[in-house]
């Protein structure tokens, strides 16, 4: 008897969706890549309406979407946040919320407890003391407000995790932060950190970009920080190398941008990822649909090839590309293009490779011929051969 297949071997057009509910924020963090004042009335007028957001959710769910992530700005600034949240949950969507926790009230905490988001709330904590915290946020009273919000979630037993951002005002508090984070019931591993601070995603302020660059760790400082737990770090690096190291060629999107996931900004523009706002890569949902963007527009954008000779001579030939943050979004924020190498990211990746012995002191990764042998020696597995073979077969 012939077996009937209940499920087709085809991924949904859209598996997850990020939605920037607002660009506005009640903080003014020194490292922030996107924020407008909380009372920016022009931004409020331009933001998607409650019904606009609900319609996006409905179409997303019809395409197979299972998860939506609320971000901003500060998503809780939206007065219609409860209505938007409930609409997403009624559609069966799991909801992740990225917040600074300062606007979490007892009413909000009870809502999240009574209708669980099914994803932990993600809270970024900027310091363990008032002075350090508010030196980052630039907002008096934000320290007490954040801890009040966190304690409300704890009281209502709403799952959340915390993240950090390593900045000059709070760098000395990392151990204390991690010790406290380990007491949170839903933290099953150490917190993640923002370390490579992105520039302004809307390319709206050269002055702010200068300030952000000044906050970045040097490659040496970054390596020292991420390799503090040396054995765990090396294990993770071996896994990453065995899976992702190989030259990407001239294609601009060896990553998964626009495949199964997308991002909607506060005004209805669909992006391949949160940070990529280049005019050639974005889609106006007011003149189209999620389905058309995911099934036709984004696949076409993903065929774009690099034209920048520096990129072609370096990044396209670099076997470390899978470990590097270099991507069209980073080129966009740093240079206003899709294919200009970002030197800071290149320096970091080379520093990591030299630290683990993949590169000699004076070697550049795009000049290495025996990269596969080096990676196999370092990773100690055959995963690279298997993954490389399957990718090669699939591309024929």
């Amino acid at each position: 008897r012939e077996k009937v297949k209940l499920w087709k071997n085809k991924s949904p057009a859209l598996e997850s969706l990020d939605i920037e509910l607002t660009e506005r924020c009640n903080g003014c963090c020194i490292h922030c890549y996107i924020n407008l004042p909380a009372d920016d009335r022009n931004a409020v007028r331009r933001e998607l309406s409650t019904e606009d957001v609900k319609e996006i959710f409905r179409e997303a769910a019809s395409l197979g979407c299972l998860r939506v992530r609320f971000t901003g700005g500060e998503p809780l600034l939206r007065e219609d946040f409860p209505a938007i949240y409930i609409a997403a949950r009624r559609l069966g969507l799991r909801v992740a919320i990225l917040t600074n926790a300062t606007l979490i009230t007892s009413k909000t905490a009870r809502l999240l407890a009574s209708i669980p988001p099914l994803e932990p709330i993600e809270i970024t904590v900027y310091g363990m003391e008032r002075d350090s915290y508010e030196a980052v946020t630039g907002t008096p009273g934000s320290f007490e407000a954040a801890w009040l919000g966190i304690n409300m979630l704890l009281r209502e037993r709403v799952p959340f995790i915390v993240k950090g951002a390593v900045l000059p005002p709070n760098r000395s508090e990392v151990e204390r932060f991690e010790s406290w984070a380990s007491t949170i019931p839903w933290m099953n591993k150490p917190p993640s950190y923002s370390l490579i601070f992105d520039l302004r995603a809307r390319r709206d302020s050269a002055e702010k970009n200068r300030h952000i660059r000044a906050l970045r760790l040097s490659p040496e400082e970054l390596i020292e920080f991420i390799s503090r737990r040396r054995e765990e770090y090396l294990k993770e690096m071996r896994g990453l190398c065995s899976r992702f190291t190989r030259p990407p060629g001239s294609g601009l999107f060896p990553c998964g941008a626009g495949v199964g996931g997308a991002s909607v900004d506060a005004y209805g523009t669909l992006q391949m990822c949160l940070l990529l706002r280049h005019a050639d890569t974005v889609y106006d949902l007011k003149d189209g649909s999620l389905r058309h963007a995911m099934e036709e527009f984004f696949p076409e954008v993903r065929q774009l090839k690099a034209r920048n000779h520096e990129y072609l001579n370096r990044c396209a030939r670099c076997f470390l590309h899978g470990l590097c943050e270099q991507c069209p979004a980073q080129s966009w924020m740093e240079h206003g293009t899709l294919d200009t190498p970002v030197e800071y990211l290149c320096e970091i990746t080379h520093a990591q490779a030299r630290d683990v012995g993949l590169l000699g002191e004076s070697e550049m990764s795009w000049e290495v011929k025996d990269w596969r042998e080096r990676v196999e020696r370092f990773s100690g597995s055959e995963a690279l051969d298997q993954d490389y073979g399957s990718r090669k077969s699939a591309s024929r």
Side-chain angles (χ1 to χ4, degrees):
R1 183 179 295 178
E2 185 179 351
K3 293 182 179 179
V4 178
K5 290 186 177 181
L6 297 178
W7 301 99
K8 295 181 179 179
N9 292 325
K10 185 179 179 181
S11 298
L14 183 67
E15 298 177 19
S16 64
L17 183 72
D18 289 341
I19 183 161
E20 178 190 277
L21 292 180
T22 179
E23 257 189 287
R24 298 174 293 122
C25 189
N26 60 329
C28 189
C29 291
I30 56 178
H31 63 294
C32 190
Y33 69 83
I34 182 169
N35 63 346
L36 290 174
D39 59 355
D40 189 318
R41 304 315 301 172
N42 180 54
V44 173
R45 285 192 293 270
R46 294 173 56 217
E47 288 170 3
L48 292 167
S49 69
T50 311
E51 190 52 42
D52 289 336
V53 175
K54 289 181 179 180
E55 179 56 34
I56 290 171
F57 290 165
R58 285 191 286 267
E59 187 180 5
S62 75
L63 295 177
C65 186
L66 298 174
R67 178 181 186 267
V68 63
R69 183 168 66 159
F70 295 174
T71 183
E74 172 50 55
L76 291 175
L77 266 176
R78 291 274 304 227
E79 294 180 359
D80 58 354
F81 176 87
I84 289 173
Y85 173 74
I86 291 169
R89 291 296 296 114
R90 279 180 174 166
L91 286 166
L93 297 169
R94 304 196 314 269
V95 178
I97 303 170
L98 276 60
T99 179
N100 58 31
T102 59
L103 297 178
I104 294 175
T105 63
S106 57
K107 184 177 180 179
T108 304
R110 288 196 299 271
L111 170 64
L112 297 172
S114 62
I115 308 176
L118 304 185
E119 294 272 347
I121 311 298
E122 297 182 34
I123 300 171
T124 304
V125 176
Y126 297 113
M128 298 301 291
E129 298 287 345
R130 181 186 295 106
D131 288 348
S132 57
Y133 190 101
E134 295 183 1
V136 172
T137 66
T139 308
S142 57
F143 176 75
E144 285 83 359
W147 288 97
L148 181 61
I150 288 170
N151 286 326
M152 285 181 180
L153 294 180
L154 285 169
R155 186 174 61 209
E156 297 292 339
R157 301 292 299 170
V158 176
F160 69 91
I161 61 173
V162 294
K163 305 181 294 185
V166 179
L167 292 156
N170 63 27
R171 197 174 299 177
S172 64
E173 299 174 357
V174 168
E175 289 188 9
R176 183 178 169 193
F177 170 59
E178 292 187 349
S179 177
W180 167 73
S182 68
T183 68
I184 298 171
W186 308 280
M187 290 289 293
N188 55 15
K189 59 183 178 180
S192 62
Y193 293 91
S194 295
L195 297 168
I196 303 174
F197 300 115
D198 298 316
L199 300 188
R200 300 289 291 186
R202 292 197 180 275
R203 295 185 55 79
D204 58 356
S205 176
E207 181 181 359
K208 287 183 179 178
N209 280 347
R210 284 194 293 271
H211 288 305
I212 293 171
R213 284 192 177 99
L215 296 169
R216 288 172 167 173
L217 298 173
S218 70
E220 294 74 23
E221 290 172 325
L222 190 143
I223 300 303
E224 181 181 3
F225 184 85
I226 63 178
S227 64
R228 289 171 298 145
R229 302 176 183 89
R230 189 67 181 178
E231 289 306 313
E232 293 178 23
Y233 169 70
L234 289 175
K235 181 180 179 181
E236 181 179 1
M237 281 291 289
R238 290 186 182 104
L240 291 171
C241 285
S242 68
R243 295 172 60 197
F244 299 117
T245 45
R246 62 188 45 83
S250 61
L252 282 174
F253 294 97
C255 62
V259 178
S263 304
V264 184
D265 80 358
Y267 317 112
T269 300
L270 190 69
Q271 303 163 191
M272 297 175 75
C273 71
L274 275 171
L275 300 175
L276 183 55
R277 300 171 188 266
H278 189 285
D280 292 345
T281 68
V282 298
Y283 183 93
D284 190 348
L285 285 177
K286 295 174 183 175
D287 295 327
S289 67
L290 277 171
R291 179 178 294 279
H292 180 261
M294 298 303 299
E295 295 184 352
E296 297 186 44
F297 180 72
F298 284 164
E300 185 176 329
V301 174
R302 285 184 57 81
Q303 300 306 310
L304 290 174
K305 303 288 185 181
R307 297 181 179 180
N308 185 306
H309 290 296
E310 192 175 10
Y311 184 99
L312 292 171
N313 290 329
R314 291 172 46 179
C315 303
R317 298 167 52 202
C318 175
F319 78 96
L320 298 173
H321 194 279
L323 304 179
C324 183
E325 297 284 339
Q326 173 70 45
C327 69
Q330 293 292 342
S331 289
W332 160 249
M333 289 184 292
E334 297 271 345
H335 302 293
T337 70
L338 292 173
D339 59 357
T340 305
V342 178
E343 292 298 333
Y344 178 63
L345 302 178
C346 187
E347 291 170 4
I348 288 172
T349 304
H350 276 73
Q352 281 188 275
R354 291 179 181 126
D355 177 62
V356 299
L358 285 172
L359 286 178
E361 190 59 37
S362 61
E363 285 184 308
M364 306 308 292
S365 58
W366 52 84
E367 298 173 348
V368 173
K369 305 297 184 184
D370 64 338
W371 63 269
R372 296 189 72 229
E373 291 78 7
R374 296 188 188 197
V375 172
E376 287 173 359
R377 285 196 300 270
F378 173 65
S379 64
S381 75
E382 298 177 357
L384 182 71
D385 281 326
Q386 296 169 354
D387 190 38
Y388 179 79
S390 63
R391 286 170 180 258
K392 190 173 181 180
S393 298
S395 67
R396 288 173 181 165

